[in-house]
Structure formats: structure tokens, C-alpha cells
Amino acid sequence: MEAVLAKYENQINVFSEFLEDLPDTDEPVWVLGECYNVKTEKTELLSDVHSRLWFTYRKKFSPIGGTGPSSDTGWGCMLRCGQMILAQALVCSQLGRAWRWRTEGGQPEEYHRILHCFLDRKDSCYSVHQMAQMGVGEGKSVGEWYGPNTVAQVLKKLALFDDWNSLAVYVSMDNTVVIEDIKKQCRQASRGSRLRPRPCGWGEPFASGETPEQACLHTHGNRATVCPHSQSQSRSDWRPLLLVIPLRLGINHINPVYIQALKECFKIPQSCGVLGGKPNLAYYFIGCVGEELIYLDPHTTQSAVESEAGSGVDDQSYHCLRSPRRMKITNLDPSVALGFFCKSEDDFDSWCSLVQQEIQMKRNLRMFELVENHPPHWPPFVPPTKPEVQTTGAEFIESSDKLSESEEEFEILNV
């Protein structure tokens, strides 16, 4: 009965389109780097919004930590927004930005595997259980409300345990993005014993300890053979990047000088959305139109979804079918976190160029700084690494102390 009511609640949102429709405007609508004309491309626009994974409050899941809360209603909205921005990065990495969800099903295996990462149970990598317990290491008790920076730090730590995606999560500090540090982190070798494709492109795997030169020798049989892909090998080793930039764009309200730059962020192709909202009320912002922001709202309580490992997920409640919600940009709390996804090094280089041209050079007061080299007065940058401890989902919190020890110097940078 609960499952029926949950689906019914979501389907009701479809009718809200008649109450809260998109504005009848000639202004372009931007959604995560894509531009739409609401008058001629409304169907495509809504399909894009409906395809974003929507994580909301859930109830009746197994108690967090065994004896903790079995619902995150009232306190987990920023955790759910964090899940949404990370899920968007995984979708772009595994399925591509052009992927669209279909209500009739038939989704690829990677899609269901992504959903499994976020199911509300202790052994899912990015579940509310893992996020709440990992947050203890950030000074947050289970059931306490998070801010954008805290949830970003939690996602950075949890990503270390996700060998399937090998996502590099970089969280900037002091309003500064350091290109050198990001490239150092994203060029790290794949973790564990994961196999990489041969640089020669023959499609045969080689062990992580084997050099590109050794791989070419194994394939071509002599040192004189020139691998046609050898020059691009260093760039193909890039780990997909989720770049999160926590900012404070004012004191009590957003400073108007930052508004245009914030809107520009949604126009960049690498846009992965923005975490923010109002005091103790978090939203996942995915676009803008005129002077309004478009967002997904996690403040709907649905029953937890059960699914066996390796099987498909009943995903109807993970997509918001209502017309996009909007709020005046001037009502935004100044504490936000910008998100960008760069699948390749060329993608990141393109992002750097766009930021310099469209956000920094055109603004008298910059939202954040983009610098080439690590500031000499900062402590050395140490890329985060997975702790040398055997652990599964329920034990992430038990290893958080060891994680802090192994990353102590790195964590100092991100306080």
C-alpha cells in the first residue's frame, strides 16, 4: 500500500504543471549546459529535467548505524542534494549528458547500477546511511543538518571506496581552484588491481603495474614499433572529475555582483548543478531562466525502495515528473557549492578556458580564483587515497579514523 501511495504522490506532481508551468518567455532556459527555447522546445526541456535523478526524503529504511533514525525527513535534504549532484556526474560519466530516461523502462545496465549506489541501505556506496555516518568525521552527528561544504567533503571521502566509477572528487578551498592539484589528482593510476586498456588500442587488458611501453612491447613484439596511441596515453589515464567549489557569495543574502556569474555557470557544458537553497532548506539547482533558478526539491517523503543486488530498480520515484520548480535568484542563501563534471583532461582544459573567458575576465569581482600552480604558502597538496583497510558499507564509519590519518595533511587544506 505504501508503495502505491508513493507512486501516486509522484504522479500527482504531473498535474502541478498546470499550476506551476514554465514561464511564457523568449528568454533562453539553461539546464546543466543545455539551452532551450520554452516556446518551441518545451517537450525536450521537460524530458531533460525529468531525466535527472531525483533523491528525496525516504522513510522505513533500516536504521542508520543499527539504532539510528529510519527516516531522514526534516534533516537529510542537503544529503539528498549531494546525492543528486554526484548522481549527475555518474550519469554523465557512464551514460553521457545526452542520455534521457524513458518512463516505459528499458534502461541500460549502467543506469540501474548507478541507482544501486544510492539505495537507502547500509551497503550502498552513496546511501544516506554512508553519508550520515561519514559525516561524523566532519563533526556532524547523525540526524544533523549539513551545509554545502560539509556534504562535498563527505562525497569526496565516499568516492574513494567506489572502484567502479573511479571518480575523482576535488573540493576547492579558500575560493581557489588550483589546476596543478586537480591534474595531479586526476592522473592518479586506477585504484587496486583494476585493468586498463592497452595504449595501443587492441582492446586487451594489462595489469595496473605494467607500463605503456611494456604493453606495446607485449603487443608489437619490438621496441621499434611506434604505438599509434602512445602520444595520447597520458591524457587517456585521466580519471573523471567532479569539481565542487564551495563559496559564500554574501553575508546574509547573495551579493548582486555575483548573480550574472552564477547564471553563467549553468551555461557551461561541464555544469553539474549547484548545491544551495535557503537556511536549513536545501535545493539542487540545475538551471536558470531570466532572474530565476530552476531546482529539484528533495522535500517529499517517499518509502524506501528495496532491490536485490544485480537486479533492476523500480525507478518511478527517482524522477520528478512535475514541471520544474523555480525561485528568484535574489532569494538564494549566499552559501552555495558549484559543481562541474569533466570526463577527460581536454574537457577540463576547456572548462578552464570558459571560466577565464566568461566568468573571470568579464567580472570586476570574481566568485572564485582559478590559478595554474599550487600557492607556495599553502601546505603541500596530497591527493586523497583509499585507506589500506578492508571494509564494506556498514564499516565505512569504523574506518573513518584511519581515513583521516592517511589524509591528515590533505584534510587540513579543506577545513
Side-chain angles (χ1 to χ4, degrees):
M1 185 63 180
E2 290 287 346
V4 173
L5 291 175
K7 284 188 177 181
Y8 179 67
E9 180 180 20
N10 193 27
Q11 295 302 321
I12 287 177
N13 294 331
V14 177
F15 297 101
S16 70
E17 181 176 332
F18 297 100
L19 303 176
E20 188 186 355
D21 205 351
L22 289 165
D24 185 18
T25 177
D26 291 322
E27 292 192 78
V29 179
W30 289 93
V31 175
L32 299 175
E34 297 287 339
C35 183
Y36 296 96
N37 183 318
V38 72
K39 293 183 176 180
T40 61
E41 299 175 299
K42 184 175 180 179
T43 299
E44 293 82 359
L45 168 59
L46 291 177
S47 175
D48 194 352
V49 174
H50 296 166
S51 295
R52 300 313 106 213
L53 285 174
W54 179 48
F55 296 115
T56 71
Y57 290 147
R58 296 278 174 171
K59 60 183 178 180
K60 297 186 177 180
F61 50 68
S62 60
I64 296 175
T67 58
S70 57
S71 172
D72 62 316
T73 300
W75 59 272
C77 56
M78 184 57 80
L79 275 70
R80 298 301 184 178
C81 291
Q83 287 181 326
M84 285 189 269
I85 199 170
L86 182 62
Q88 176 61 21
L90 298 186
V91 166
C92 289
S93 178
Q94 297 290 343
L95 303 174
R97 177 64 181 88
W99 170 83
R100 294 294 180 267
W101 177 69
R102 299 186 301 272
T103 56
E104 65 273 15
Q107 304 302 331
E109 177 185 349
E110 292 83 358
Y111 165 80
H112 288 284
R113 193 168 179 181
I114 290 171
L115 272 181
H116 270 279
C117 293
F118 297 92
L119 293 181
D120 297 296
R121 59 190 190 196
K122 63 183 181 181
D123 58 347
S124 293
C125 189
Y126 302 113
S127 67
V128 69
H129 297 66
Q130 300 294 359
M131 296 185 72
Q133 293 190 118
M134 191 62 83
V136 174
E138 297 296 323
K140 295 290 185 179
S141 302
V142 175
E144 189 174 353
W145 197 85
Y146 285 31
N149 181 62
T150 302
V151 78
Q153 300 296 338
V154 167
L155 293 177
K156 179 188 67 178
K157 289 184 176 181
L158 288 179
L160 299 175
F161 296 90
D162 182 6
D163 287 332
W164 174 48
N165 291 288
S166 290
L167 188 70
V169 179
Y170 176 92
V171 182
S172 68
M173 64 167 289
D174 291 346
N175 297 355
T176 304
V177 176
V178 183
I179 296 174
E180 177 187 20
D181 294 348
I182 289 178
K183 294 198 171 186
K184 183 177 181 180
Q185 181 174 344
C186 289
R187 287 171 177 168
Q188 281 182 300
S190 299
R191 296 185 289 273
S193 60
R194 289 172 57 85
L195 299 179
R196 295 177 293 164
R198 285 187 184 274
C200 60
W202 282 62
E204 300 174 21
F206 68 97
S208 59
E210 187 178 36
T211 67
E213 183 182 56
Q214 289 170 332
C216 290
L217 285 172
H218 288 170
T219 301
H220 301 300
N222 65 81
R223 190 177 300 272
T225 302
V226 177
C227 172
H229 300 277
S230 60
Q231 294 182 348
S232 63
Q233 173 62 20
S234 62
R235 300 184 83 80
S236 66
D237 275 347
W238 178 273
R239 289 167 51 200
L241 167 70
L242 173 59
L243 168 59
V244 185
I245 310 175
L247 300 171
R248 187 159 189 90
L249 304 178
I251 301 176
N252 297 317
H253 303 282
I254 184 172
N255 189 326
V257 300
Y258 296 120
I259 288 179
Q260 189 57 41
L262 180 61
K263 290 160 61 176
E264 290 295 327
C265 291
F266 294 107
K267 303 177 184 180
I268 294 177
Q270 294 83 2
S271 173
C272 206
V274 174
L275 302 178
K278 302 176 182 178
N280 297 326
L281 200 65
Y283 300 133
Y284 173 45
F285 296 98
I286 60 173
C288 64
V289 53
E291 299 305 312
E292 295 180 320
L293 297 176
I294 300 170
Y295 65 92
L296 294 179
D297 186 356
H299 301 90
T300 295
T301 302
Q302 306 182 86
S303 293
V305 173
E306 297 292 337
S307 180
E308 296 296 327
S311 64
V313 178
D314 183 0
D315 63 348
Q316 294 297 314
S317 64
Y318 289 103
H319 295 273
C320 184
L321 302 182
R322 65 167 64 98
S323 187
R325 290 193 169 181
R326 312 185 309 277
M327 66 173 279
K328 293 289 186 182
I329 196 169
T330 52
N331 294 334
L332 180 68
D333 186 88
S335 182
V336 300
L338 313 180
F340 302 94
F341 173 76
C342 302
K343 189 169 185 177
S344 66
E345 187 168 0
D346 288 338
D347 205 15
F348 177 64
D349 290 341
S350 174
W351 177 85
C352 292
S353 296
L354 286 170
V355 166
Q356 291 170 340
Q357 295 170 11
E358 302 300 329
I359 295 181
Q360 295 194 324
M361 294 178 63
K362 295 181 179 180
R363 312 286 169 241
N364 293 327
L365 188 59
R366 299 177 178 179
M367 283 198 303
F368 60 89
E369 295 294 329
L370 179 64
V371 299
E372 184 68 37
N373 298 314
H374 186 85
H377 60 282
W378 283 11
F381 175 75
V382 180
T385 56
K386 182 178 178 180
E388 294 298 327
V389 56
Q390 296 298 319
T391 180
T392 56
E395 299 164 341
F396 276 12
I397 184 61
E398 297 175 7
S399 67
S400 62
D401 290 339
K402 294 184 179 181
L403 175 62
S404 297
E405 292 172 4
S406 66
E407 294 186 303
E408 181 178 357
E409 196 166 22
F410 179 76
E411 288 303 310
I412 291 174
L413 299 179
N414 292 277
V415 173

